Amino acid sequence: MANVTFLAIGLVMAGAASLIGMYTMLIGEIDDSLKTSQRAMSSTPFTSGGLQQLCTMAGMLQTAKGGKVVAQAFDQDLFLVLDSHGRISTVCEGDVANLNEERRSLASALPDVKALASSGDAATVHSAGSYYRVVVSRLGDGTMVVKGMRLNGVRRAVGHLLIVEVIDSVVLLGLLAMGSLTAARRRLQPLEDMVETASAISEGDLSRRIATASHGSTEVEQLSAALNAMLQQIETALTSSERATAQLRQFLADASHELRTPLASVRGYLQLYEKGMLDPDEKDRALTRVSAEAMRMSRLVDELLALARLEDRPALAPRPVDLTQLVRDGIADLAMQQPQRPIALILPGCVEVLGDEAQLRQILGNLLSNVRVHTPAESPLTVEVVRRDEDVLLRITDSGPGLSPQDAARAFDRFFRADPDRARDTGGAGLGMSIVQAAVDAHHGSVRLDTAPGTGLTVRVTLPAVRPAELALESGDAAAR
């Protein structure tokens, strides 16, 4: 709409300028013609008597061959003679210069003829509905001759030009308005899509996105891309929030369940003990069970706290840690508990990873604990450390019963146990692998399982390796200390 308004203002200004210019040009040409006649009249020693003789000659020529041409030439413009007092003079009484009504009306409408004769300027006179452009010449005897030209043709030409310009302007403004509306609708279509998308999202369709418009402007396309990116982040955040909320509910339910069972056992034994319903041998067994359940609850609480700290993503102070030494220490502990288990170690020399030693020991301890608890004591175990370009691979392979695909997919879930009855007997709460995954994520590594029923289980842990530049920096810091 603003474009149409600005164009309309421009057309009005341009039209006014062209009309004024054309009118001024035509008036200028008329004035030049009138002033040429005025100068010729002023430079000729005419008097009223000379004019009378001229009129008589014109009357004689009118009857001769070609007289009409001379008469028409003499009468084509207005020619009016006034005496020295400004009254109409009848110096010419023939048919050529009859004092018709038009001349009489013009004579009465003339302004101060003496001032015009003195100044020599042309003036516009309105008489009997018509317009005239006149000049006044003074003869030697004081007689004044008024020479005029009709302006009706000029005004008609200007009027026709005005009509043409108005019609052209209206057509041009109409075309511009239609084109602007069409272009605006096409360019605003992406914005309408944005409104529709926002309405759909507000109704719960978080997967809705803004379609890319091929005819939109660059700014609209950039806005669409930015909004789609923002909507994707919002959807991801809401989905993560919902998943976290669901996991928190499940976590609280599982934790309550895990704590409820040992608490019920402790409460039951204590009630029997307080009521004196236990024999001396049964009292010793009851106290042993109470102590075992208390230890179980303590381990559960410790694991929950460790998992909570890891999920808060604490700021680590990573330093080079010899992973092969941690593996040797962990295998030594396992060999003390299960000396009959065949263990194969495939370890290179010193292989350092960048991380926290305590958490790395916890990762290795939980993985070896799973092997100890969930596989037969005579089952072979292979532990391998491989140095690669950017990271270090820790591979632990057992020959146990393995896991089904469904159980393997849930192995890192909290409180998940593939064999709940056996795990409960051994004191496991199903948090070991969850802690492993959280600790590996805190080290910007990865962990995955390869298993199938009857084929054992292989755990692959990838950790960032120490680069030579980091080793040099660590050595420099140690030398400075």
Side-chain angles (χ1 to χ4, degrees):
M1 195 63 186
N3 293 335
V4 177
T5 303
F6 290 146
L7 180 60
I9 295 173
L11 289 175
V12 168
M13 296 176 64
S18 64
L19 290 174
I20 294 172
M22 179 181 179
Y23 184 78
T24 302
M25 181 188 68
L26 294 177
I27 292 296
E29 292 180 356
I30 291 174
D31 287 351
D32 291 342
S33 177
L34 291 174
K35 288 183 178 181
T36 300
S37 299
Q38 183 187 38
R39 287 192 295 270
M41 184 70 69
S42 300
S43 62
T44 303
F46 269 120
T47 62
S48 59
L51 287 175
Q52 189 173 10
Q53 292 175 2
L54 185 61
C55 290
T56 302
M57 185 181 295
M60 293 172 63
L61 289 174
Q62 186 177 9
T63 60
K65 185 178 180 180
K68 281 189 176 182
V69 177
V70 176
Q72 290 174 357
F74 188 84
D75 195 40
Q76 64 180 348
D77 296 327
L78 292 173
F79 191 79
L80 191 62
V81 180
L82 304 177
D83 59 18
S84 59
H85 300 288
R87 296 187 297 268
I88 298 177
S89 175
T90 56
V91 294
C92 295
E93 297 177 352
D95 293 333
V96 175
N98 262 339
L99 289 176
N100 56 21
E101 189 63 31
E102 182 182 13
R103 285 178 171 79
R104 294 181 186 277
S105 177
L106 176 60
S108 62
L110 286 172
D112 189 354
V113 291
K114 294 181 179 180
L116 288 176
S118 299
S119 65
D121 295 333
T124 301
V125 179
H126 179 245
S127 172
S130 299
Y131 290 87
Y132 305 88
R133 192 73 173 172
V134 298
V135 293
V136 180
S137 303
R138 190 185 298 273
L139 302 181
D141 60 353
T143 303
M144 290 177 289
V145 178
V146 179
K147 179 69 182 297
M149 295 185 71
R150 298 176 182 86
L151 296 181
N152 290 340
V154 173
R155 295 177 66 85
R156 282 195 298 271
V158 173
H160 290 160
L161 178 61
L162 175 61
I163 293 173
V164 170
E165 287 188 349
V166 169
I167 294 175
D168 291 343
S169 299
V170 170
V171 173
L172 183 59
L173 289 174
L175 293 176
L176 178 62
M178 293 177 59
S180 298
L181 289 176
T182 302
R185 183 172 295 277
R186 287 172 59 85
R187 289 182 177 274
L188 291 177
Q189 183 62 42
L191 299 181
E192 295 178 0
D193 294 341
M194 294 179 191
V195 174
E196 183 180 355
T197 301
S199 300
I201 291 174
S202 65
E203 294 175 359
D205 186 6
L206 298 179
S207 62
R208 188 70 173 268
R209 294 293 180 270
I210 301 171
T212 302
S214 59
H215 52 269
S217 63
T218 303
E219 292 79 6
V220 173
E221 292 178 359
Q222 292 175 349
L223 178 60
S224 300
L227 288 176
N228 282 335
M230 181 187 70
L231 292 175
Q232 182 62 42
Q233 293 177 356
I234 291 175
E235 181 185 8
T236 302
L238 289 177
T239 303
S240 300
S241 178
E242 292 175 357
R243 185 184 301 112
T245 302
Q247 290 178 348
L248 179 60
R249 292 196 187 100
Q250 186 64 37
F251 176 78
L252 293 176
D254 292 341
S256 300
H257 177 73
E258 292 297 328
L259 290 173
R260 185 183 298 113
T261 301
L263 283 175
S265 299
V266 170
R267 186 184 303 110
Y269 282 119
L270 291 178
Q271 287 176 351
L272 292 175
Y273 183 82
E274 290 175 353
K275 295 179 179 179
M277 299 175 63
L278 298 176
D279 296 335
D281 294 341
E282 292 177 341
K283 288 181 181 181
D284 294 338
R285 188 173 64 85
L287 291 176
T288 301
R289 290 295 301 155
V290 167
S291 177
E293 295 297 335
M295 291 296 297
R296 178 181 170 188
M297 286 188 291
S298 177
R299 286 194 300 270
L300 177 60
V301 171
D302 290 341
E303 289 179 347
L304 290 174
L305 290 176
L307 186 59
R309 284 193 296 268
L310 289 172
E311 290 185 343
D312 284 341
R313 297 293 178 93
L316 298 178
R319 54 184 299 273
V321 178
D322 185 0
L323 184 60
T324 57
Q325 184 59 46
L326 297 186
V327 170
R328 291 189 180 94
D329 293 343
I331 293 300
D333 295 339
L334 179 62
M336 290 293 296
Q337 300 176 37
Q338 293 181 336
Q340 69 274 30
R341 181 182 296 274
I343 301 176
L345 292 179
I346 304 176
L347 304 177
C350 176
V351 177
E352 291 187 325
V353 297
L354 195 64
D356 181 81
E357 182 176 352
Q359 291 188 14
L360 293 175
R361 287 187 180 275
Q362 188 173 27
I363 292 172
L364 187 61
N366 286 357
L367 294 177
L368 295 178
S369 177
N370 281 342
V371 174
R372 178 177 57 82
V373 172
H374 298 293
T375 63
E378 298 81 10
S379 175
L381 172 66
T382 301
V383 180
E384 181 180 6
V385 175
V386 180
R387 171 64 189 265
R388 300 189 295 194
D389 293 336
E390 299 292 332
D391 53 37
V392 175
L393 173 64
L394 170 64
R395 184 186 294 117
I396 299 178
T397 303
D398 63 49
S399 302
L403 297 174
S404 66
Q406 296 80 6
D407 290 342
R410 299 187 55 197
F412 297 103
D413 292 348
R414 296 168 180 171
F415 301 107
F416 172 75
R417 292 181 291 263
D419 188 356
D421 294 335
R422 181 178 179 184
R424 193 177 301 278
D425 293 339
T426 58
L431 292 175
M433 294 302 291
S434 299
I435 293 174
V436 168
Q437 186 181 45
V440 171
D441 290 343
H443 283 78
H444 305 288
S446 63
V447 57
R448 67 184 183 91
L449 306 179
D450 292 333
T451 184
T455 61
L457 173 68
T458 298
V459 182
R460 289 180 170 84
V461 178
T462 301
L463 297 169
V466 177
R467 301 175 183 176
E470 293 169 342
L471 279 174
L473 181 61
E474 181 71 17
S475 300
D477 293 342
R481 289 194 293 269

